[in-house]
Amino acid sequence: MRRSVTIINLPKIEDNRGNLTFIEELNHIPFDIKRAYWIYDVPGGQKRGGHAFKEQEEFIVALSGSFDVVIQDGEGEVKYSLNRSYYGLYVPNGLWREMNNFSTNSLALVLSSTFFDESDYIRDFEKYLKWING
Ligand code: TYD
């Protein structure tokens, strides 16, 4: 991999009333949070997020349930299984990523370093390879 995808462990405040986890921008994750979105009610077997971002960095957490995040950069492919509320995956810009293998009732939280901008997406894998190699 040309850029470092990292599993980041978050604080977990254990309590017999229930556990609590939090994220602070530029403290636990290396960017300012401009946007949060979440993916839910994913039907069995569906895939999300087959694309790359030119600028957007993101942090993905399985708030509930589990799913896999598959990262590619044209040189290799790595699969990360997310299944805990207290860690997540930091994905730098410039990587192709797909999310699949969603469990029933899973909830994926994505924190983004940018506002939504369709022109930041590369949605065609061949175009992505040209962009990353070019
Ligand atoms: P997309 O990012 O392609 O979803 P995924 O990566 O999960 O497959 O977004 C799906 C649609 O939602 C697309 O038409 C763009 C729109 N969208 C917004 O309007 N704002 C957002 O913040 C996001 C993430 C998507």
Side-chain angles (χ1 to χ4, degrees), residues 24-87:
E24 294 172 352
E25 63 182 12
L26 299 174
N27 187 1
H28 305 105
I29 57 173
F31 57 83
D32 278 319
I33 300 166
K34 289 281 190 339
R35 177 166 50 108
Y37 63 93
W38 45 101
I39 297 167
Y40 51 97
D41 291 347
V42 179
Q46 286 292 346
K47 299 174 176 180
R48 301 286 321 214
H51 47 63
F53 296 111
K54 294 179 219 164
E55 297 297 332
Q56 180 186 312
E57 300 166 69
E58 59 188 13
F59 184 69
I60 306 172
V61 188
L63 281 186
S64 180
S66 63
F67 52 84
D68 295 339
V69 183
V70 181
I71 306 287
Q72 290 183 73
D73 66 355
E75 290 184 347
E77 177 180 305
V78 186
K79 181 178 84 176
Y80 297 86
S81 294
L82 299 183
N83 54 14
R84 294 285 182 269
S85 313
Y86 53 82
Y87 63 70

Side-chain angles (χ1 to χ4, degrees), residues 104-116:
T104 304
N105 290 330
S106 56
L107 172 59
L109 172 70
V110 184
L111 303 179
S112 166
S113 67
T114 65
F115 294 121
F116 176 72

